[in-house]
Amino acid sequence: MTDQPVVTEREARAVAEQARQSEWTKDSFAKDLYLGQFRPDRIWPRPPDDLEGEARGEQFLADLSAHLREQVDGQRIETEDRISDEDLAGLIELGVFGIKIPTRYGGLGLSQVHYNRALMLLGTVHPSLGALISAHQSIGVPEPVKQFGNPEQKEQYLRRCAEGAISAFLLTEPDVGSDPARLQTSATRTPEGDYLLDGVKLWTTNGVLAELLVVMARVAPHADGKGGITAFVVEADAPGITVERRNSFMGLKGLENGLTRLHQVRVPAGAVIGREGQGLKIALTTLNTGRLSIPALCVAASKWSLKIAREWALERVQWGRPVGRHPAIAHQLAFMAATTYAQEAMVEIAGELSDSGAADIRIEAALAKLWCSEMAWQVADRLVQIRGGRGYETAASLAARGERAVPAEQVLRDLRINRIFEGSSEIMHLLIAREAVDAHLSVAGRLIDPDADLPAKADAARAAAGFYAGWLPRLVVGPGDSPTSYADLGPLAGHLRFVERTSRRLARSTFYGMARWQGGLEHKQGFLGRIVDIGAELFAMTSVCAHASRHGGGSGPGSPHALADAFCRQSRLRVAGLLRALWVNTDGADETLASDVLEGRYSWAEAGIIDASEGTGPWIADATPGPSARESAARRYR
């Protein structure tokens, strides 16, 4: 394997820091929440009525639903491991590949809320349909070009995408995942002003099908600029591009995900999105909204799981009554119902914030992705448990012996990737934690910066003293301490008071952690992860209260308020456990044990097994740049 240049931890952190969007020019509910400033007014008002847009969106969803029910067979996709050309043609005709592309470029110009709902419909027919559209429109060519492209790029590429030119996003490499400082794909400038791309890209969702690619490549410093990681729009059939294989996975059958090699691929200077060196910032900014696709698909899977669990728990009788009437199963049904509704609320609220244009949703979208992917997995796992042996049996096997073809095991397989896609849960914890402590780092960061000199530290100390003198006293008491606060927001006001009190406690805990560990806080990932998880629960509680208040219908059995109340009661118990675990945990002992495991001190615990994977290949395949020796596995669908 080619030698990778050594990138230090500090260098890698610097690259990530330069790429993040550092300014906060718009309101952020979640950012304030982590600072102990609970602002329900940021998400409570209904968005302004757009009757024409709402009507167009609802009509599209009705047309899409009818088409999917009548024309698309999810089980055929699962069996054939392929979305057929006919299915793709039908989606193109409906305009699915241009849902969010403005109408002036031939798209439907619909809202993020309607886009999320469309993904839910697609995902319940087969999740690979949702992944196809999400990879194309959320992180593929349309979103970065819409946000950062010049007028010529928008006219050319957005129109093509709306007409059905499928796109893919190529960032990951065989030895580069969430650490972009090690990215190896290069873009070499030519005397004519073009670029030659060389490298290997892994897990290119839609890459097998795509007509257009967004490729992240590193431009070397040159006389006219500093270079850096840059985003290019590349024609997928350009000479030098080879899809060397189509990858196969545990779930998401039908996913056209590949390994793509680029060798001396010439792209014009006009293919650069934004500017040289802006690639990672473009990718991260695109993901601010793009991350809402996965939670939308999680909502769909949870809703389906809840429906199947409810119907089965009434049908299956054991010991004289339906299994759902037994408390052990009832507890699981209650969790599934409450958690599914909360996921929907979070996605709807985040979508509305995105559509408003007045909010910075980078934290909200990340929280939705993290929380919904984790909770949907738990919902689906409970479905399999409730179904028992039938939950483990495939739909085809069930149908073959005359029973309803319920693919419970499939939904579990398909959901598992969502805890990894677009930032694993571990990475999301770190990303959100960085944003959550941004206000502290902006005033006190130089105090804990090992490279800061004494004058800089003195200036930082004065700034920090001024900030904390005004901030800390506001965390002592607040509206959550008054029994009448938020009464105007409905019968769930008690839960909102809990959120306000806990938000202040969370902010105090963050401050205590910074004071205790200072620069070492970034390595306290257990602590930071719990800080993030508490904020996620508080965001979910607020969202579900706001969502229920919009539905009305009283607060009795069967009402949205009753379901929201049940969720908040469950969530408060989780928050209590997380708050305690901030300071009472086994983190230190676990990290010591893990170090000893890595050193091989406990390899004796692995004895008595056979590892058939030994000798089958290296852990990471060779990705040396150069021409391909393989026939392309690319597929053309039109």
Side-chain angles (χ1 to χ4, degrees):
M1 182 172 179
T2 184
D3 291 334
Q4 292 276 9
V6 176
V7 178
T8 67
E9 182 179 353
R10 183 173 297 180
E11 290 169 338
R13 187 165 57 245
V15 169
E17 190 64 22
Q18 290 167 9
R20 65 177 288 271
Q21 185 180 343
S22 58
E23 67 280 358
W24 292 87
T25 59
K26 298 178 181 179
D27 292 336
S28 169
F29 169 82
K31 176 176 179 286
D32 286 344
L33 189 72
Y34 282 107
L35 286 171
Q37 300 163 6
F38 178 52
R39 295 289 304 275
D41 55 296
R42 295 260 167 88
I43 64 174
W44 220 266
R46 286 180 177 274
D49 289 332
D50 175 10
L51 298 181
E52 188 272 336
E54 182 73 16
R56 288 194 302 111
E58 291 305 309
Q59 183 60 57
F60 168 73
L61 293 176
D63 293 343
L64 177 62
S65 178
H67 173 80
L68 292 172
R69 290 176 186 275
E70 297 168 7
Q71 302 295 329
V72 183
D73 183 351
Q75 279 303 303
R76 187 181 72 172
I77 294 174
E78 184 69 15
T79 301
E80 297 179 356
D81 191 12
R82 187 176 189 269
I83 301 171
S84 71
D85 292 352
E86 293 76 18
D87 288 342
L88 293 172
L91 297 178
I92 290 172
E93 186 176 353
L94 279 170
V96 172
F97 290 93
I99 296 175
K100 290 201 303 174
I101 294 175
T103 55
R104 64 180 176 274
Y105 300 116
L108 300 181
L110 298 182
S111 67
Q112 180 70 39
V113 168
H114 284 107
Y115 174 66
N116 291 341
R117 293 173 184 172
L119 288 176
M120 289 169 57
L121 288 171
L122 291 159
T124 45
V125 172
H126 196 280
S128 286
L129 293 171
L132 166 75
I133 301 305
S134 171
H136 161 74
Q137 192 153 285
S138 298
I139 60 174
V141 168
E143 195 64 28
V145 167
K146 187 170 72 171
Q147 291 194 45
F148 295 93
N150 58 43
E152 293 78 15
Q153 289 172 333
K154 291 178 181 179
E155 180 62 37
Q156 178 182 358
Y157 297 123
L158 293 183
R159 192 168 297 280
R160 281 179 62 185
C161 288
E163 293 171 352
I166 295 174
S167 66
F169 176 72
L170 278 60
L171 170 62
T172 303
E173 298 175 2
D175 200 27
V176 180
S178 298
D179 182 7
R182 302 176 70 246
L183 187 134
Q184 292 300 294
T185 297
S186 63
T188 305
R189 286 165 58 94
T190 69
E192 299 79 20
D194 296 337
Y195 297 83
L196 294 177
L197 306 187
D198 286 276
V200 178
K201 295 294 187 178
L202 180 61
W203 297 325
T204 59
T205 296
N206 290 357
V208 179
L209 282 176
E211 292 184 25
L212 293 170
L213 312 172
V214 176
V215 179
M216 294 292 169
R218 186 184 299 279
V219 178
H222 52 87
D224 298 325
K226 297 180 180 179
I229 297 174
T230 303
F232 298 86
V233 180
V234 182
E235 298 285 347
D237 61 358
I241 294 181
T242 306
V243 178
E244 294 198 329
R245 64 168 286 107
R246 178 178 184 256
N247 299 318
S248 181
F249 299 98
M250 168 184 176
L252 289 185
K253 302 302 181 183
L255 189 72
E256 299 288 355
N257 179 293
L259 175 73
T260 302
R261 180 177 293 271
L262 303 97
H263 175 62
Q264 296 286 286
V265 178
R266 183 177 289 270
V267 295
V272 173
I273 307 176
R275 304 185 307 274
E276 278 188 5
Q278 201 179 10
L280 285 182
K281 180 161 286 193
I282 289 172
L284 292 176
T285 303
T286 298
L287 280 172
N288 285 344
T289 298
R291 282 199 173 99
L292 292 178
S293 298
I294 285 179
L297 292 167
C298 288
V299 172
S302 293
K303 281 175 171 281
W304 181 86
S305 298
L306 174 61
K307 177 181 183 293
I308 296 297
R310 173 181 58 81
E311 293 174 352
W312 171 250
L314 279 172
E315 178 70 23
R316 176 67 161 167
V317 175
Q318 294 284 275
W319 297 296
R321 53 179 168 169
V323 295
R325 302 295 184 188
H326 292 285
I329 302 300
H331 298 162
Q332 299 192 57
L333 288 170
F335 170 84
M336 294 174 71
T339 303
T340 296
Y341 186 57
Q343 289 179 66
E344 180 181 38
M346 186 182 280
V347 171
E348 286 280 307
I349 294 294
E352 290 173 2
L353 290 173
S354 175
D355 287 331
S356 74
D360 186 325
I361 67 162
R362 75 184 84 161
I363 301 181
E364 287 84 350
L367 286 173
K369 190 273 177 189
L370 169 67
W371 192 82
C372 290
S373 64
E374 290 291 336
M375 301 308 276
W377 170 258
Q378 293 187 40
V379 169
D381 185 59
R382 281 165 168 78
L383 168 63
V384 171
Q385 192 70 19
I386 291 170
R387 284 278 288 164
R390 290 174 173 84
Y392 196 66
E393 190 173 1
T394 67
S397 178
L398 288 164
R401 58 185 185 79
E403 291 194 1
R404 181 169 168 175
V406 177
E409 58 84 29
Q410 181 193 327
V411 77
L412 198 62
R413 288 188 287 106
D414 291 336
L415 273 173
R416 186 60 184 84
I417 188 57
N418 292 330
R419 297 168 64 199
I420 300 171
F421 259 166
E422 295 179 18
S424 68
S425 292
E426 292 75 22
I427 291 296
M428 297 308 297
H429 277 115
L430 298 180
L431 182 152
I432 298 167
R434 171 61 185 87
E435 301 296 350
V437 301
D438 185 58
H440 300 283
L441 294 178
S442 66
V443 297
R446 299 291 278 173
L447 279 172
I448 59 178
D449 185 349
D451 296 327
D453 56 23
L454 287 177
K457 288 181 181 290
D459 290 342
R462 285 190 288 271
F467 172 78
Y468 289 120
W471 178 69
L472 283 170
R474 294 199 296 269
L475 302 182
V476 178
V477 294
D481 298 311
S482 170
T484 60
S485 293
Y486 310 119
D488 58 320
L489 298 182
L492 300 170
H495 295 307
L496 297 176
R497 291 193 288 272
F498 172 84
V499 172
E500 195 279 335
R501 294 193 304 272
T502 308
S503 173
R504 286 185 281 115
R505 183 176 175 183
L506 180 63
R508 294 195 302 269
S509 296
T510 304
F511 173 75
Y512 299 153
M514 289 196 66
R516 177 176 177 179
W517 293 302
Q518 300 185 39
L521 180 63
E522 67 176 301
H523 299 294
K524 299 296 180 181
Q525 294 178 4
F527 177 87
L528 291 172
R530 295 180 190 103
I531 290 287
V532 168
D533 287 341
I534 294 167
E537 293 285 351
L538 299 183
F539 179 37
M541 289 176 66
T542 310
S543 296
V544 82
C545 290
H547 196 54
S549 73
R550 297 176 184 185
H551 288 166
S555 56
S559 69
H561 283 92
L563 200 51
D565 177 67
F567 170 77
C568 288
R569 291 174 184 274
Q570 295 172 10
S571 181
R572 288 170 74 155
L573 291 177
R574 291 192 292 269
V575 168
L578 287 166
L579 285 167
R580 173 176 169 77
L582 285 174
W583 310 108
V584 181
N585 54 65
T586 61
D587 289 355
D590 291 344
E591 290 160 19
T592 298
L593 174 59
S595 179
D596 289 340
V597 169
L598 291 172
E599 292 295 327
R601 294 190 177 97
Y602 293 99
S603 58
W604 52 264
E606 303 160 8
I609 55 96
I610 297 171
D611 179 5
S613 73
E614 288 185 355
T616 58
W619 287 106
I620 299 171
D622 184 14
T624 303
S628 179
R630 297 175 180 269
E631 184 176 343
S632 181
R635 168 188 162 198
R636 292 295 168 253
Y637 56 94
R638 63 173 187 168

